[in-house]
Amino acid sequence: MPSSRATPSQTIGPFYGTALPFPGGGDVAPTGHPDAITVHGRVLDGEGVPVPDALLEFWQAAPDGSLTGSPGSLHRDGARFTGFARVPTTGDGHYALRTLPPPEGAPYLALCLFVRGLPRHLFTRVYFRLPEDDALLAALAPERRDTMLAAPEPGGHRTYRFDVRLQGDAETVFLSPTRPFP
């Protein structure tokens, strides 16, 4: 017989940022790699308030374009590129990821966002440049495309800013969960 009690996902949970992170989850690039970049930003709700307990998962192609990743993605050894990251937000909604630039053939990071109160996760992409031949981007209005673009930090060596806005005027473009990454 089904329970009539509310579950955490029906109230304010689930609390992704407390149970799923793992040590080194944001360190995708090998330690000391000369081409490593940092991507950071905040997750913001519709009022612009930081979301302190979100969880971001990133996937990307390896610099050679392969999509297989590396074994041991959840147990970092600091020597291999894994292609996968899982990063929680801090109390002020901030996250940080250290990775390698994506290849020309797939010039983005795929992002899956888990946020309390949302029964389904959200999908988007983080581009470092907006390629002209990308069908997904071509279907969007120019101002909407910009919500998927990481901005180089002024004076920041190989550092990019990408804020995720859940609602509002500058809401990040989210992709269909049935076909998140065409």
PDB file of all heavy atoms in Angstrom, residues 101-124:
ATOM      1  N   PRO A 101      40.319  22.638 -22.483  1.00  0.00           N
ATOM      2  CA  PRO A 101      39.415  23.208 -23.487  1.00  0.00           C
ATOM      3  C   PRO A 101      38.804  22.103 -24.346  1.00  0.00           C
ATOM      4  O   PRO A 101      39.493  21.141 -24.703  1.00  0.00           O
ATOM      5  CB  PRO A 101      40.325  24.104 -24.329  1.00  0.00           C
ATOM      6  CG  PRO A 101      41.539  24.344 -23.495  1.00  0.00           C
ATOM      7  CD  PRO A 101      41.687  23.134 -22.620  1.00  0.00           C
ATOM      8  N   PRO A 102      37.527  22.230 -24.676  1.00  0.00           N
ATOM      9  CA  PRO A 102      36.913  21.214 -25.543  1.00  0.00           C
ATOM     10  C   PRO A 102      37.463  21.307 -26.961  1.00  0.00           C
ATOM     11  O   PRO A 102      37.942  22.364 -27.382  1.00  0.00           O
ATOM     12  CB  PRO A 102      35.428  21.551 -25.488  1.00  0.00           C
ATOM     13  CG  PRO A 102      35.360  22.970 -25.072  1.00  0.00           C
ATOM     14  CD  PRO A 102      36.589  23.256 -24.271  1.00  0.00           C
ATOM     15  N   PRO A 103      37.388  20.212 -27.717  1.00  0.00           N
ATOM     16  CA  PRO A 103      37.920  20.218 -29.084  1.00  0.00           C
ATOM     17  C   PRO A 103      37.034  20.996 -30.046  1.00  0.00           C
ATOM     18  O   PRO A 103      35.873  21.273 -29.750  1.00  0.00           O
ATOM     19  CB  PRO A 103      37.948  18.724 -29.441  1.00  0.00           C
ATOM     20  CG  PRO A 103      36.845  18.134 -28.634  1.00  0.00           C
ATOM     21  CD  PRO A 103      36.832  18.901 -27.346  1.00  0.00           C
ATOM     22  N   GLU A 104      37.566  21.327 -31.199  1.00  0.00           N
ATOM     23  CA  GLU A 104      36.818  22.067 -32.221  1.00  0.00           C
ATOM     24  C   GLU A 104      35.532  21.354 -32.624  1.00  0.00           C
ATOM     25  O   GLU A 104      34.517  21.991 -32.847  1.00  0.00           O
ATOM     26  CB  GLU A 104      37.691  22.289 -33.463  1.00  0.00           C
ATOM     27  CG  GLU A 104      38.824  23.263 -33.237  1.00  0.00           C
ATOM     28  CD  GLU A 104      38.343  24.667 -32.955  1.00  0.00           C
ATOM     29  OE1 GLU A 104      37.405  25.141 -33.629  1.00  0.00           O
ATOM     30  OE2 GLU A 104      38.915  25.303 -32.046  1.00  0.00           O
ATOM     31  N   GLY A 105      35.566  20.035 -32.708  1.00  0.00           N
ATOM     32  CA  GLY A 105      34.397  19.281 -33.159  1.00  0.00           C
ATOM     33  C   GLY A 105      33.249  19.251 -32.172  1.00  0.00           C
ATOM     34  O   GLY A 105      32.114  18.979 -32.540  1.00  0.00           O
ATOM     35  N   ALA A 106      33.497  19.522 -30.915  1.00  0.00           N
ATOM     36  CA  ALA A 106      32.470  19.577 -29.872  1.00  0.00           C
ATOM     37  C   ALA A 106      32.883  20.702 -28.911  1.00  0.00           C
ATOM     38  O   ALA A 106      33.354  20.447 -27.814  1.00  0.00           O
ATOM     39  CB  ALA A 106      32.365  18.243 -29.148  1.00  0.00           C
ATOM     40  N   PRO A 107      32.697  21.976 -29.326  1.00  0.00           N
ATOM     41  CA  PRO A 107      33.266  23.106 -28.583  1.00  0.00           C
ATOM     42  C   PRO A 107      32.459  23.545 -27.357  1.00  0.00           C
ATOM     43  O   PRO A 107      32.251  24.724 -27.122  1.00  0.00           O
ATOM     44  CB  PRO A 107      33.290  24.208 -29.633  1.00  0.00           C
ATOM     45  CG  PRO A 107      32.100  23.920 -30.475  1.00  0.00           C
ATOM     46  CD  PRO A 107      32.040  22.408 -30.542  1.00  0.00           C
ATOM     47  N   TYR A 108      31.981  22.598 -26.591  1.00  0.00           N
ATOM     48  CA  TYR A 108      31.179  22.927 -25.421  1.00  0.00           C
ATOM     49  C   TYR A 108      31.340  21.858 -24.344  1.00  0.00           C
ATOM     50  O   TYR A 108      31.834  20.761 -24.589  1.00  0.00           O
ATOM     51  CB  TYR A 108      29.693  23.037 -25.802  1.00  0.00           C
ATOM     52  CG  TYR A 108      29.151  21.783 -26.423  1.00  0.00           C
ATOM     53  CD1 TYR A 108      28.682  20.725 -25.635  1.00  0.00           C
ATOM     54  CD2 TYR A 108      29.112  21.618 -27.804  1.00  0.00           C
ATOM     55  CE1 TYR A 108      28.202  19.561 -26.198  1.00  0.00           C
ATOM     56  CE2 TYR A 108      28.630  20.461 -28.378  1.00  0.00           C
ATOM     57  CZ  TYR A 108      28.172  19.437 -27.573  1.00  0.00           C
ATOM     58  OH  TYR A 108      27.700  18.283 -28.142  1.00  0.00           O
ATOM     59  N   LEU A 109      30.907  22.213 -23.152  1.00  0.00           N
ATOM     60  CA  LEU A 109      30.754  21.255 -22.066  1.00  0.00           C
ATOM     61  C   LEU A 109      29.267  20.982 -21.947  1.00  0.00           C
ATOM     62  O   LEU A 109      28.456  21.916 -21.972  1.00  0.00           O
ATOM     63  CB  LEU A 109      31.248  21.841 -20.741  1.00  0.00           C
ATOM     64  CG  LEU A 109      32.643  22.457 -20.692  1.00  0.00           C
ATOM     65  CD1 LEU A 109      32.915  23.014 -19.304  1.00  0.00           C
ATOM     66  CD2 LEU A 109      33.686  21.454 -21.080  1.00  0.00           C
ATOM     67  N   ALA A 110      28.893  19.740 -21.831  1.00  0.00           N
ATOM     68  CA  ALA A 110      27.497  19.395 -21.559  1.00  0.00           C
ATOM     69  C   ALA A 110      27.296  19.536 -20.057  1.00  0.00           C
ATOM     70  O   ALA A 110      28.144  19.120 -19.266  1.00  0.00           O
ATOM     71  CB  ALA A 110      27.213  17.964 -22.010  1.00  0.00           C
ATOM     72  N   LEU A 111      26.192  20.140 -19.655  1.00  0.00           N
ATOM     73  CA  LEU A 111      25.928  20.410 -18.248  1.00  0.00           C
ATOM     74  C   LEU A 111      24.560  19.882 -17.859  1.00  0.00           C
ATOM     75  O   LEU A 111      23.568  20.134 -18.542  1.00  0.00           O
ATOM     76  CB  LEU A 111      25.993  21.921 -17.989  1.00  0.00           C
ATOM     77  CG  LEU A 111      25.529  22.445 -16.635  1.00  0.00           C
ATOM     78  CD1 LEU A 111      26.297  21.812 -15.487  1.00  0.00           C
ATOM     79  CD2 LEU A 111      25.645  23.953 -16.598  1.00  0.00           C
ATOM     80  N   CYS A 112      24.519  19.147 -16.759  1.00  0.00           N
ATOM     81  CA  CYS A 112      23.273  18.667 -16.168  1.00  0.00           C
ATOM     82  C   CYS A 112      23.211  19.272 -14.768  1.00  0.00           C
ATOM     83  O   CYS A 112      24.148  19.134 -13.986  1.00  0.00           O
ATOM     84  CB  CYS A 112      23.266  17.143 -16.115  1.00  0.00           C
ATOM     85  SG  CYS A 112      21.763  16.455 -15.402  1.00  0.00           S
ATOM     86  N   LEU A 113      22.124  19.936 -14.462  1.00  0.00           N
ATOM     87  CA  LEU A 113      21.981  20.660 -13.206  1.00  0.00           C
ATOM     88  C   LEU A 113      20.886  20.031 -12.357  1.00  0.00           C
ATOM     89  O   LEU A 113      19.756  19.840 -12.815  1.00  0.00           O
ATOM     90  CB  LEU A 113      21.629  22.115 -13.508  1.00  0.00           C
ATOM     91  CG  LEU A 113      21.390  23.034 -12.328  1.00  0.00           C
ATOM     92  CD1 LEU A 113      22.691  23.261 -11.559  1.00  0.00           C
ATOM     93  CD2 LEU A 113      20.820  24.361 -12.813  1.00  0.00           C
ATOM     94  N   PHE A 114      21.220  19.728 -11.118  1.00  0.00           N
ATOM     95  CA  PHE A 114      20.275  19.192 -10.143  1.00  0.00           C
ATOM     96  C   PHE A 114      20.035  20.278  -9.102  1.00  0.00           C
ATOM     97  O   PHE A 114      20.996  20.798  -8.522  1.00  0.00           O
ATOM     98  CB  PHE A 114      20.853  17.962  -9.444  1.00  0.00           C
ATOM     99  CG  PHE A 114      21.161  16.824 -10.369  1.00  0.00           C
ATOM    100  CD1 PHE A 114      22.384  16.764 -11.027  1.00  0.00           C
ATOM    101  CD2 PHE A 114      20.242  15.810 -10.580  1.00  0.00           C
ATOM    102  CE1 PHE A 114      22.686  15.715 -11.871  1.00  0.00           C
ATOM    103  CE2 PHE A 114      20.535  14.754 -11.431  1.00  0.00           C
ATOM    104  CZ  PHE A 114      21.757  14.698 -12.075  1.00  0.00           C
ATOM    105  N   VAL A 115      18.777  20.637  -8.872  1.00  0.00           N
ATOM    106  CA  VAL A 115      18.440  21.700  -7.935  1.00  0.00           C
ATOM    107  C   VAL A 115      17.276  21.244  -7.071  1.00  0.00           C
ATOM    108  O   VAL A 115      16.302  20.684  -7.585  1.00  0.00           O
ATOM    109  CB  VAL A 115      18.052  22.993  -8.693  1.00  0.00           C
ATOM    110  CG1 VAL A 115      17.683  24.102  -7.726  1.00  0.00           C
ATOM    111  CG2 VAL A 115      19.159  23.441  -9.618  1.00  0.00           C
ATOM    112  N   ARG A 116      17.369  21.517  -5.769  1.00  0.00           N
ATOM    113  CA  ARG A 116      16.277  21.148  -4.863  1.00  0.00           C
ATOM    114  C   ARG A 116      14.983  21.807  -5.320  1.00  0.00           C
ATOM    115  O   ARG A 116      14.969  22.912  -5.856  1.00  0.00           O
ATOM    116  CB  ARG A 116      16.607  21.552  -3.439  1.00  0.00           C
ATOM    117  CG  ARG A 116      16.624  23.031  -3.231  1.00  0.00           C
ATOM    118  CD  ARG A 116      16.871  23.379  -1.761  1.00  0.00           C
ATOM    119  NE  ARG A 116      17.606  24.611  -1.634  1.00  0.00           N
ATOM    120  CZ  ARG A 116      17.060  25.810  -1.723  1.00  0.00           C
ATOM    121  NH1 ARG A 116      15.784  25.937  -1.952  1.00  0.00           N
ATOM    122  NH2 ARG A 116      17.809  26.885  -1.594  1.00  0.00           N
ATOM    123  N   GLY A 117      13.905  21.086  -5.131  1.00  0.00           N
ATOM    124  CA  GLY A 117      12.604  21.613  -5.512  1.00  0.00           C
ATOM    125  C   GLY A 117      12.232  21.357  -6.957  1.00  0.00           C
ATOM    126  O   GLY A 117      11.077  21.504  -7.325  1.00  0.00           O
ATOM    127  N   LEU A 118      13.191  20.985  -7.802  1.00  0.00           N
ATOM    128  CA  LEU A 118      12.883  20.633  -9.191  1.00  0.00           C
ATOM    129  C   LEU A 118      12.842  19.120  -9.301  1.00  0.00           C
ATOM    130  O   LEU A 118      13.837  18.454  -9.000  1.00  0.00           O
ATOM    131  CB  LEU A 118      13.938  21.184 -10.154  1.00  0.00           C
ATOM    132  CG  LEU A 118      14.003  22.685 -10.321  1.00  0.00           C
ATOM    133  CD1 LEU A 118      15.087  23.057 -11.321  1.00  0.00           C
ATOM    134  CD2 LEU A 118      12.673  23.252 -10.771  1.00  0.00           C
ATOM    135  N   PRO A 119      11.717  18.557  -9.707  1.00  0.00           N
ATOM    136  CA  PRO A 119      11.635  17.097  -9.775  1.00  0.00           C
ATOM    137  C   PRO A 119      12.494  16.493 -10.884  1.00  0.00           C
ATOM    138  O   PRO A 119      12.797  15.319 -10.854  1.00  0.00           O
ATOM    139  CB  PRO A 119      10.153  16.830 -10.014  1.00  0.00           C
ATOM    140  CG  PRO A 119       9.621  18.091 -10.605  1.00  0.00           C
ATOM    141  CD  PRO A 119      10.463  19.201 -10.074  1.00  0.00           C
ATOM    142  N   ARG A 120      12.895  17.302 -11.853  1.00  0.00           N
ATOM    143  CA  ARG A 120      13.750  16.815 -12.956  1.00  0.00           C
ATOM    144  C   ARG A 120      14.956  17.729 -13.097  1.00  0.00           C
ATOM    145  O   ARG A 120      14.873  18.928 -12.899  1.00  0.00           O
ATOM    146  CB  ARG A 120      12.974  16.787 -14.263  1.00  0.00           C
ATOM    147  CG  ARG A 120      11.839  15.814 -14.233  1.00  0.00           C
ATOM    148  CD  ARG A 120      11.110  15.815 -15.555  1.00  0.00           C
ATOM    149  NE  ARG A 120       9.888  15.070 -15.412  1.00  0.00           N
ATOM    150  CZ  ARG A 120       9.688  13.893 -15.965  1.00  0.00           C
ATOM    151  NH1 ARG A 120      10.610  13.356 -16.723  1.00  0.00           N
ATOM    152  NH2 ARG A 120       8.553  13.271 -15.791  1.00  0.00           N
ATOM    153  N   HIS A 121      16.051  17.122 -13.487  1.00  0.00           N
ATOM    154  CA  HIS A 121      17.254  17.912 -13.696  1.00  0.00           C
ATOM    155  C   HIS A 121      17.154  18.681 -15.020  1.00  0.00           C
ATOM    156  O   HIS A 121      16.332  18.369 -15.867  1.00  0.00           O
ATOM    157  CB  HIS A 121      18.502  17.031 -13.633  1.00  0.00           C
ATOM    158  CG  HIS A 121      18.347  15.697 -14.260  1.00  0.00           C
ATOM    159  ND1 HIS A 121      17.694  14.647 -13.656  1.00  0.00           N
ATOM    160  CD2 HIS A 121      18.737  15.228 -15.453  1.00  0.00           C
ATOM    161  CE1 HIS A 121      17.698  13.601 -14.453  1.00  0.00           C
ATOM    162  NE2 HIS A 121      18.322  13.933 -15.553  1.00  0.00           N
ATOM    163  N   LEU A 122      18.020  19.667 -15.161  1.00  0.00           N
ATOM    164  CA  LEU A 122      18.032  20.538 -16.331  1.00  0.00           C
ATOM    165  C   LEU A 122      19.307  20.317 -17.125  1.00  0.00           C
ATOM    166  O   LEU A 122      20.370  20.077 -16.555  1.00  0.00           O
ATOM    167  CB  LEU A 122      17.958  22.006 -15.877  1.00  0.00           C
ATOM    168  CG  LEU A 122      16.755  22.380 -15.013  1.00  0.00           C
ATOM    169  CD1 LEU A 122      16.925  23.794 -14.463  1.00  0.00           C
ATOM    170  CD2 LEU A 122      15.472  22.249 -15.805  1.00  0.00           C
ATOM    171  N   PHE A 123      19.195  20.428 -18.444  1.00  0.00           N
ATOM    172  CA  PHE A 123      20.338  20.250 -19.333  1.00  0.00           C
ATOM    173  C   PHE A 123      20.634  21.542 -20.085  1.00  0.00           C
ATOM    174  O   PHE A 123      19.719  22.223 -20.537  1.00  0.00           O
ATOM    175  CB  PHE A 123      20.062  19.162 -20.378  1.00  0.00           C
ATOM    176  CG  PHE A 123      19.866  17.794 -19.810  1.00  0.00           C
ATOM    177  CD1 PHE A 123      18.586  17.305 -19.566  1.00  0.00           C
ATOM    178  CD2 PHE A 123      20.954  16.985 -19.522  1.00  0.00           C
ATOM    179  CE1 PHE A 123      18.403  16.036 -19.046  1.00  0.00           C
ATOM    180  CE2 PHE A 123      20.782  15.719 -18.999  1.00  0.00           C
ATOM    181  CZ  PHE A 123      19.498  15.246 -18.762  1.00  0.00           C
ATOM    182  N   THR A 124      21.897  21.844 -20.257  1.00  0.00           N
ATOM    183  CA  THR A 124      22.310  22.952 -21.106  1.00  0.00           C
ATOM    184  C   THR A 124      23.719  22.666 -21.618  1.00  0.00           C
ATOM    185  O   THR A 124      24.260  21.577 -21.393  1.00  0.00           O
ATOM    186  CB  THR A 124      22.230  24.315 -20.371  1.00  0.00           C
ATOM    187  OG1 THR A 124      22.394  25.366 -21.334  1.00  0.00           O
ATOM    188  CG2 THR A 124      23.257  24.425 -19.266  1.00  0.00           C
TER     189      THR A 124
END
